[in-house]
Amino acid sequence: MTDPIDSTFARLRIRVHFGEALMLGPGKADLLELIGTTGSISAAGRAMSMSYKRAWSLVDEMNHAFQTPLVESARGGPKGGGAHLTDTGQAVLDHYRKLEDITAEAGAARIGAIRDLLKDVSDGK
Amino acid sequence: MTDPIDSTFARLRIRVHFGEALMLGPGKADLLELIGTTGSISAAGRAMSMSYKRAWSLVDEMNHAFQTPLVESARGGPKGGGAHLTDTGQAVLDHYRKLEDITAEAGAARIGAIRDLLKDVSDGK
DNA sequence: TTGCGTTATGTTTGGTCAGACATAACGTTC
DNA sequence: GAACGTTATGTCTGACCAAACATAACGCAA
């Protein structure tokens, strides 16, 4: 809403394809992060308005693609269960976030160059 | 080209969101490139097994988003018509390809770090 | 031992987006 | 002026993927 025109306007989204094994993008990264903060797959899913089923399937996909699971989960218990990031999970998330930062910085000039060729969007509003 | 082993395995795909105005990704870039080489929207579409309708709509979207059209087209004529990249179109394509190179290089280490955590897929070969 | 909120998994329904199909206009060449 | 291959545009259909719905297991707390 109250964003300045430039900074949030051009946004680079990245997705890494590891052959057929896995593709890692913003969705899985956000999910991992939310599982870390909420301690629950379902809570993470709700936070990004994603169905539990889909959230779980993404977690399952990631867990099977890596040597070590990224998310450990437990059923039952006082709060019914829960999930948390493993060290590997945290490492993958950190790497991905850094990757976002690095690529955004490296590409800023080229993105700006393309942006300058676009129609001016800030005039009407 | 003469990339080390992992480069073909882990592939970084980028997509730039310019607010609501436009998003520019591999599909549109490839389409631009093929229009440049084939001189035809329909031929470019066929080359990437994309329907003419879709190819045209992507071109139309890009043409409207930029100050200057990226693709100029003509109907009729000896070969029925055709299309070609404008200077702006070539510039945008060049910027995008460079962006791909720059981000891939900048992110190589982090991508490699994630890749190393994946299950070993290269054992078969 | 009942209740709770979660993980875990199958089945069905539905909305959306892309492709298929149809048609027209166009302008040079023969 | 007939033919051709392309641009340009509308409509319709279908396949796919995600959400919705349903159900079970689990383990601690009270």
Side-chain angles (χ1 to χ4, degrees), chain A residues 14-57:
Chain A
I14 62 178
R15 175 159 288 142
V16 193
H17 288 59
F18 296 99
E20 302 298 306
L22 177 74
M23 57 191 243
L24 188 59
K28 291 208 185 84
D30 290 350
L31 182 61
L32 282 181
E33 185 163 359
L34 282 166
I35 289 173
T37 57
T38 64
S40 156
I41 295 177
S42 67
R46 279 195 300 273
M48 52 196 298
S49 53
M50 173 187 288
S51 70
Y52 171 81
K53 171 130 202 182
R54 173 149 180 74
W56 180 86
S57 72

Side-chain angles (χ1 to χ4, degrees), chain A residues 98-116:
Chain A
K98 278 288 180 188
L99 183 60
E100 287 184 320
D101 294 343
I102 290 171
T103 52
E105 190 186 346
R110 291 287 173 178
I111 292 172
I114 297 175
R115 199 237 107 104
D116 290 342

